[in-house]
Amino acid sequence: MNKLLFQKIIAQTSDSPIALEISDTEGCYINTTDGKNYLDFISGIAVSSLGHNHPKIIQALHDQIDKHLHVMVYGEFIQKPQIEFAELLIQQLPDSLEQIYLVNSGTEAVEGALKLAKKSTGRTKLVAFKNSYHGDTHGSLSVTGRDVYRDPYLPLLPNVHFGEFNEDSALQLIDTNTAAVILEPIQGEGGIIPAHKKWLESLKVKCDENGALLIFDEIQSGFGRTGKLFAFEHYEVTPDILCIAKAMGGGMPIGGFVSSTKVFQSFKYDPPLNHVTTFGGHPVSCAAAHANLKELLDGGYLQRAQKIEEIIKSTLKGEGIKEVRGVGAMLGLELETRDLTENVVNHCFEKGILLGWTLHSNTLVRLAPPLIITDDQLKIVTSTIMEGISIYY
Ligand code: PMP
């Protein structure tokens, strides 16, 4: 009913938006105004890990809305939802990750992390990786490794050097002028590509030897999606700065970057207040983030993500499939051709299952289900995908 109006007054980023008209959501399902229900197998792109409208998150939102909304720009007033969330999060992290700066989104977390690294090291050189994705504002686009998205906006930040992901040659880019090395421990938009363990360890050693800070962008891989609270726990490497967002707010907008007290010192002087945000750490988002994190930890969802990986990897097999890769519920199904991928995604859509692509790959089906998904629902999805492959292969 509103498609024309939608396309007329909401600025569009493509000529072919999915344009489902949402009526409401519940659990794994998105319901549309024409009475259809879609099983959301991408969790709003790795956001709704506890599904949509989780009752504990909704309750926390109501409770906070009744108390107060925005009161003051970041960092001036003591706000209980911020403290409660930050305390629970920091308890889960290694000792060196001891403070969080709260923002509104993923790209903003990356912007803040890059500024923090530059300020605390007094250096400007940044090392990033080909095929990475870190967001769409100018700083995060500057460290995103895909020319097709960068070229229209050049010049971007100077002194950014791109290495090959998982290649030792990249280590040579890190020297005593390097402020930070930024990467996703599992590249998301690049096509769900996990870093090799040994490579990541060498990267950390090289950073330490040269006084460069290692930034992990766990905006997509964080909050249980990979079967650990953060993907870096699969590796024996702790980043100096950790960027988080997406699933952090259980459906509410929020992000953050976490580091040591020592590194964060540099934000306090020359000048004071050199990094501020009006809405970062909004109390309503923080209340949701706290309820979300508590439930993720208490409800056994990290183990569930591991089980989801097992089920999906053991059922999606056969002709037309090149590989199912990734960790936990951050998976990618690589099919043989672009046409097959498109047809399978469309087939599933017609059957009421939302799958997606990743930004930099056109033969990869993104599989990022809510962690509350049941075995029966998983079965429906995997058999519909296999059906699609058998029709179109
Ligand atoms: N980093 C990564 C790894 C992401 O996947 C994304 C979002 N896809 C971002 C950064 C940017 O987050 P946001 O869209 O919240 O700005």
Side-chain angles (χ1 to χ4, degrees):
M1 150 196 144
N2 282 327
K3 188 161 177 192
L4 283 180
L5 188 60
F6 164 70
Q7 290 192 299
K8 184 166 178 241
I9 61 169
I10 301 296
Q12 299 290 315
T13 53
S14 91
D15 274 334
S16 51
I18 309 172
L20 288 181
E21 192 174 330
I22 308 304
S23 88
D24 54 66
T25 61
E26 193 183 352
C28 294
Y29 287 91
I30 294 178
N31 307 321
T32 51
T33 49
D34 56 2
K36 293 192 182 139
N37 323 102
Y38 291 86
L39 204 163
D40 181 5
F41 211 68
I42 46 175
S43 305
I45 316 284
V47 169
S48 313
S49 289
L50 292 177
H52 296 276
N53 292 27
H54 190 285
K56 290 193 177 159
I57 296 174
I58 298 296
Q59 188 58 52
L61 286 169
H62 282 299
D63 292 348
Q64 183 55 39
I65 285 168
D66 288 342
K67 290 192 184 108
H68 67 89
L69 304 181
H70 174 79
V71 281
M72 182 57 166
V73 297
Y74 176 87
E76 296 296 327
F77 289 175
I78 302 167
Q79 301 183 49
K80 193 173 166 204
Q82 290 183 348
I83 305 287
E84 282 184 340
F85 168 69
E87 190 178 27
L88 183 60
L89 176 72
I90 299 297
Q91 278 165 6
Q92 316 307 317
L93 296 173
D95 291 349
S96 57
L97 295 175
E98 52 191 343
Q99 292 193 333
I100 183 166
Y101 188 107
L102 293 158
V103 293
N104 306 281
S105 67
T107 198
E108 217 191 314
V110 171
E111 297 289 339
L114 295 177
K115 275 182 75 183
L116 181 63
K118 286 169 78 171
K119 189 80 188 332
S120 73
T121 60
R123 306 171 180 179
T124 57
K125 178 176 172 182
L126 298 168
V127 173
F129 292 91
K130 294 187 185 156
N131 208 27
S132 61
Y133 180 82
H134 296 292
D136 272 337
T137 51
H138 273 84
S140 55
L141 187 58
S142 299
V143 289
T144 287
R146 194 87 199 285
D147 288 344
V148 66
Y149 293 109
R150 298 163 47 83
D151 286 351
Y153 302 100
L154 295 172
L156 291 164
L157 273 182
N159 215 0
V160 179
H161 302 258
F162 287 95
E164 295 286 344
F165 194 70
N166 276 334
E167 294 286 339
D168 285 343
S169 59
L171 300 180
Q172 285 154 22
L173 295 173
I174 306 166
D175 57 26
T176 51
N177 294 319
T178 309
V181 175
I182 181 164
L183 76 156
E184 302 149 87
I186 302 175
Q187 287 192 330
E189 299 309 318
I192 318 291
I193 303 168
H196 299 156
K197 197 162 183 287
K198 280 262 161 315
W199 181 74
L200 211 52
E201 284 168 12
S202 319
L203 214 58
K204 175 65 176 153
V205 170
K206 194 76 198 276
C207 283
D208 288 348
E209 284 170 359
N210 288 279
L213 299 181
L214 183 60
I215 304 174
F216 279 179
D217 174 345
E218 292 235 28
I219 287 162
Q220 192 164 145
S221 58
F223 289 94
R225 178 132 302 273
T226 69
K228 304 265 186 200
L229 193 56
F230 293 101
F232 75 78
E233 297 168 51
H234 293 286
Y235 301 89
E236 268 143 55
V237 177
T238 301
D240 298 296
I241 305 178
L242 174 69
C243 296
I244 52 179
K246 278 193 179 277
M248 174 177 176
M252 292 295 287
I254 188 166
F257 50 108
V258 188
S259 190
S260 65
T261 311
K262 185 166 164 249
V263 169
F264 269 123
Q265 280 297 330
S266 61
F267 265 180
K268 286 191 194 163
Y269 58 83
D270 298 338
L273 300 181
N274 69 73
H275 193 73
V276 288
T277 160
T278 298
F279 287 126
H282 192 284
V284 176
S285 293
C286 281
H290 180 239
N292 178 59
L293 179 56
K294 200 166 171 337
E295 182 62 10
L296 271 174
L297 296 170
D298 295 348
Y301 290 105
L302 308 188
Q303 295 85 318
R304 182 64 188 153
Q306 293 164 14
K307 187 79 189 152
I308 290 170
E309 174 182 351
E310 251 175 69
I311 296 174
I312 291 181
K313 284 190 172 168
S314 64
T315 38
L316 295 183
K317 282 183 175 160
E319 280 187 339
I321 297 179
K322 263 193 174 167
E323 188 186 11
V324 181
R325 60 171 176 266
V327 189
M330 183 173 177
L331 299 172
L333 165 68
E334 179 97 45
L335 298 179
E336 280 181 15
T337 62
R338 187 202 156 101
D339 276 359
L340 181 62
T341 311
E342 191 170 344
N343 284 329
V344 169
V345 170
N346 290 342
H347 174 77
C348 289
F349 184 73
E350 272 154 32
K351 301 272 172 179
I353 296 164
L354 288 179
L355 300 174
W357 307 60
T358 59
L359 266 182
H360 305 176
S361 168
N362 52 29
T363 50
L364 193 95
V365 183
R366 186 199 298 273
L367 308 172
L371 308 181
I372 59 163
I373 196 159
T374 63
D375 286 0
D376 284 348
Q377 288 166 334
L378 271 176
K379 207 167 165 194
I380 294 171
V381 176
T382 52
S383 54
T384 311
I385 291 174
M386 291 308 289
E387 182 182 74
I389 294 172
S390 72
I391 298 171
Y392 293 102
Y393 181 63

